[in-house]
Amino acid sequence: SAGRACTGVPSLGGTWTFDTIILGGRAGKEEGIGVRGHYLLQLSEHDPCSLGGPLVKRAYSMKGKEYGPVLSDLVVGTASPRGASLSFLARLRKAPEATITADIAMRLTRHGDHVLGLWRHEGADRERAGYWGALVGGRDEPHTELAGEACFASCIADCHPDADPLEADAEACLLRCAPRVDDCRQ
């Protein structure tokens, strides 16, 4: 119909468990590379061009150990014009005092039974460490590492280092890299 900004939303409704993987950051912050954040995201239709729901960062893993705290936000992800991906800015907070915060931009797509994406810290976290990376997950609880995660992450590092996930050009990179989670040669 006239004036419609999207062609629908990607099939990302329901509950997803995923990890963010740090692929890069500011000079002097290399110790964070490889650190994984562990997330739970529940999405349902918000309107014809968006999905929304709670995003919870449950922990992060560094050198084999898990750390807290639990951070959360209610997010609304906007579908891209072609409806192949969803992007949002999350302002994660520790409830109820909201003293510990993390701002993160994400772009997600669905590839088979997987949720895949790219992300970047924003705000004060971006100024401090500038971390960015890939996002991989599925319906399983907790997320179990996929055989092709390294291939997908390497592709994201090549085509989207430190760029803004909220910008439309991020979708082309994400969709180009997604098949590599199944086959490194794609």
Side-chain angles (χ1 to χ4, degrees):
S1 63
R4 206 164 148 199
C6 70
T7 55
V9 293
S11 55
L12 285 165
T15 301
W16 298 96
T17 304
F18 63 83
D19 287 355
T20 54
I21 307 162
I22 295 176
L23 299 178
R26 297 211 182 290
K29 294 295 181 179
E30 293 81 7
E31 77 278 359
I33 292 176
V35 170
R36 286 176 171 258
H38 309 295
Y39 290 81
L40 181 71
L41 175 63
Q42 295 172 288
L43 291 173
S44 56
E45 186 174 317
H46 186 263
D47 63 42
C49 291
S50 64
L51 297 171
L55 173 69
V56 179
K57 181 177 183 181
R58 301 187 292 185
Y60 68 92
S61 298
M62 187 166 147
K63 297 180 179 149
K65 286 188 171 167
E66 273 200 7
Y67 302 89
V70 172
L71 305 174
S72 62
D73 189 20
L74 284 174
V75 298
V76 175
T78 305
S80 65
R82 57 188 284 201
S85 69
L86 205 63
S87 64
F88 57 82
L89 175 63
R91 299 188 172 286
L92 298 169
R93 301 293 181 258
K94 182 181 179 204
E97 64 275 11
T99 52
I100 298 175
T101 65
D103 295 345
I104 186 169
M106 296 181 174
R107 181 171 293 274
L108 312 177
T109 193
R110 183 171 179 166
H111 181 77
D113 294 331
H114 309 307
V115 60
L116 301 173
L118 42 84
W119 63 274
R120 181 177 84 174
H121 276 154
E122 301 297 341
D125 284 336
R126 178 158 171 70
E127 293 302 313
R128 182 183 54 78
Y131 289 136
W132 57 271
L135 179 160
V136 286
R139 301 285 191 189
D140 55 332
E141 171 67 40
H143 167 64
T144 49
E145 199 166 327
L146 308 173
E149 278 186 21
C151 293
F152 170 71
S154 171
C155 182
I156 293 293
D158 286 345
C159 72
H160 201 68
D162 195 37
D164 186 351
L166 303 182
E167 290 178 1
D169 67 344
E171 182 177 78
C173 170
L174 178 56
L175 298 180
R176 185 166 75 243
C177 294
R180 295 203 185 175
V181 85
D182 299 324
D183 183 350
C184 239
R185 294 162 302 194
Q186 291 195 22

